[in-house]
Amino acid sequence: MNDNIFHLTLAIPTYNSEKRLPTLLEKLKNQTFEENINWEIVIIDNNSKDRTALVIENYQKTWDSKIPLRYFLEKQQGAAFARLRAVKQARGEIIAFLDDDNLPASDWVAQAYAFGQKHPQAGAWSGQIHGDFEIEPPENFERIQAFIAIREHGEKEYLFDPYNLRLPTGAAFVVRKQAWCNSVNHVLVFKGRLGKSMVGGEDLEPLLYIHKAGWQIWYNPAMHTYHQIPHWRLEKDYLISLARGCGLCHCQLRFINAKTWQKPIVFARTFLANLRRVIRHLVKYRGQLKYDIIARFEIEFYLSSMISPFYSLKCYFDNKFGNNKVVKT
């Protein structure tokens, strides 16, 4: 086998993960395969302030040389920058992304690679993501669990629905490098959640470009990952901020698959559809929003989605007149 040819790159964008990374790296040490796969691990340190770099340096000293463990520092803050750097550095034809709080099953890498071989038209794919909760989640949490990257969609393969923004989460997903490099050659609007801003969209935007270029996006139930959810991600303030951030990017994401003449229609439909959702939700849960965190999350998401057309206008003018840094591939 040619050592310069890698079938797969396992990419880990990370930030302040000195305590999380060792658990993930131990999981990767124990991956099992039915066929010989030449793969590597690439860690993108997104400007960490803790001892993440030292942790990786110590691991590299004792790492199995058959699986290269490579480290890169990306100083531009944001998940979008980290992923772009991962794609640039990846030597594999397939790039499998794991967040630093994802714990893959022992055959996750093998299943990710096998699916790509089985579906050559797949530009991206993702599997089942289960919750590993530090504390018990609130009642009816399953209604909003997808917003915290928990996806359990059954045991059958299927194509995602990009036109309705039904797509994989940014955690534990896989892309074909050719699909990314040939498709995601745009200015990226969404950079990731930075500081107090919880505006999302950085997960879905590249996938929408990949789909727009003609690639398929699949759900592969054979890939299992466990997402560690600390207690603070179930607290009211965090959940409300998350709901608002997920809603604000809604219209701008829909614009990606729209022709120029369709964008005013998308603008109006997004506003009106979510206005209806807000009204229906208020009628159904009136008197409960103060106490029911799940219902409160949902209406915050609908409200933010309703105003997302106006947020998209703000993004447009900020980018046009240089008031907002953008991400370029």
Side-chain angles (χ1 to χ4, degrees):
M1 180 180 294
N2 189 337
D3 291 338
N4 294 321
I5 298 175
F6 288 85
H7 298 111
L8 183 143
T9 295
L10 194 291
I12 308 171
T14 189
Y15 177 72
N16 286 351
S17 61
E18 62 173 293
K19 295 181 179 179
R20 297 185 297 274
L21 270 176
T23 304
L24 172 54
L25 290 174
E26 291 300 323
K27 288 283 186 182
L28 295 177
K29 275 186 178 180
N30 297 317
Q31 289 291 298
T32 58
F33 302 90
E34 293 184 1
E35 58 179 299
N36 192 17
I37 298 175
N38 201 21
W39 65 295
E40 64 174 351
I41 299 171
V42 170
I43 297 177
I44 306 298
D45 181 353
N46 197 195
N47 205 28
S48 295
K49 308 303 180 186
D50 66 354
R51 299 189 304 161
T52 292
L54 180 60
V55 168
I56 302 307
E57 182 181 345
N58 290 335
Y59 262 91
Q60 286 175 322
K61 292 175 182 177
T62 58
W63 194 255
D64 183 351
S65 60
K66 294 180 181 179
I67 307 170
L69 176 61
R70 304 164 65 211
Y71 169 90
F72 299 94
L73 176 64
E74 176 51 63
K75 291 188 176 182
Q76 289 184 289
Q77 206 73 48
F81 290 109
R83 289 184 187 132
L84 289 170
R85 182 67 181 276
V87 172
K88 179 180 179 181
Q89 300 297 340
R91 298 180 292 188
E93 62 188 41
I94 289 172
I95 306 172
F97 285 95
L98 286 174
D99 287 351
D100 55 31
D101 57 2
N102 298 157
L103 300 179
S106 61
D107 64 345
W108 191 84
V109 173
Q111 294 289 355
Y113 178 73
F115 192 87
Q117 298 302 106
K118 179 182 176 183
H119 296 276
Q121 293 305 312
W125 54 99
S126 180
Q128 301 198 54
I129 306 176
H130 311 286
D132 181 6
F133 297 96
E134 183 180 4
I135 62 173
E136 190 70 20
E139 186 178 0
N140 297 319
F141 182 73
E142 65 276 2
R143 283 174 19 204
I144 66 167
Q145 66 179 13
F147 292 92
I148 307 187
I150 298 173
R151 303 292 177 91
E152 297 167 318
H153 295 166
E155 300 302 324
K156 292 184 179 180
E157 297 177 1
Y158 67 81
L159 284 166
F160 280 99
D161 180 12
Y163 285 106
N164 290 303
L165 302 185
R166 297 190 181 103
L167 286 164
T169 179
F173 77 105
V174 186
V175 298
R176 200 176 299 276
K177 186 172 183 178
Q178 178 189 357
W180 183 294
C181 292
N182 291 348
S183 309
V184 189
N185 55 353
H186 304 264
V187 174
L188 298 180
V189 174
F190 301 106
K191 298 176 285 295
R193 298 180 174 99
L194 300 173
K196 295 182 180 180
S197 173
M198 290 289 285
V199 177
E202 77 282 358
D203 294 348
L204 303 188
E205 188 177 359
L207 294 175
L208 288 168
Y209 291 134
I210 289 170
H211 173 260
K212 190 174 183 179
W215 293 91
Q216 298 173 346
I217 302 178
W218 281 86
Y219 169 69
N220 173 21
M223 294 163 51
H224 291 268
T225 314
Y226 297 84
H227 186 192
Q228 300 174 86
I229 309 294
H231 67 89
W232 55 267
R233 294 193 71 178
L234 299 176
E235 293 175 357
K236 179 181 177 181
D237 289 347
Y238 176 83
L239 288 174
I240 290 174
S241 295
L242 177 66
R244 292 170 178 168
C246 290
L248 284 176
C249 62
H250 192 86
C251 187
Q252 185 68 36
L253 291 171
R254 287 190 174 277
F255 281 164
I256 292 174
N257 277 317
K259 296 180 174 62
T260 301
W261 67 268
Q262 294 173 320
K263 290 184 178 181
I265 300 172
V266 172
F267 188 104
R269 283 182 174 175
T270 301
F271 176 80
L272 292 173
N274 285 286
L275 175 60
R276 285 194 295 270
R277 290 191 181 110
V278 168
I279 294 170
R280 290 173 183 171
H281 208 70
L282 285 172
V283 171
K284 184 175 182 179
Y285 293 102
R286 60 184 181 276
Q288 299 180 42
L289 294 176
K290 185 175 181 180
Y291 308 101
D292 186 339
I293 184 58
I294 304 303
R296 176 70 183 278
F297 182 102
E298 289 168 331
I299 198 165
E300 292 288 351
F301 173 69
Y302 299 149
L303 283 166
S304 294
S305 297
M306 185 179 72
I307 66 173
S308 67
F310 306 99
Y311 181 79
S312 70
L313 285 179
K314 176 183 180 301
C315 289
Y316 171 78
F317 286 112
D318 284 348
N319 291 336
K320 185 176 180 64
F321 297 107
N323 296 324
N324 190 26
K325 184 187 285 187
V326 295
V327 184
K328 295 184 179 180
T329 57

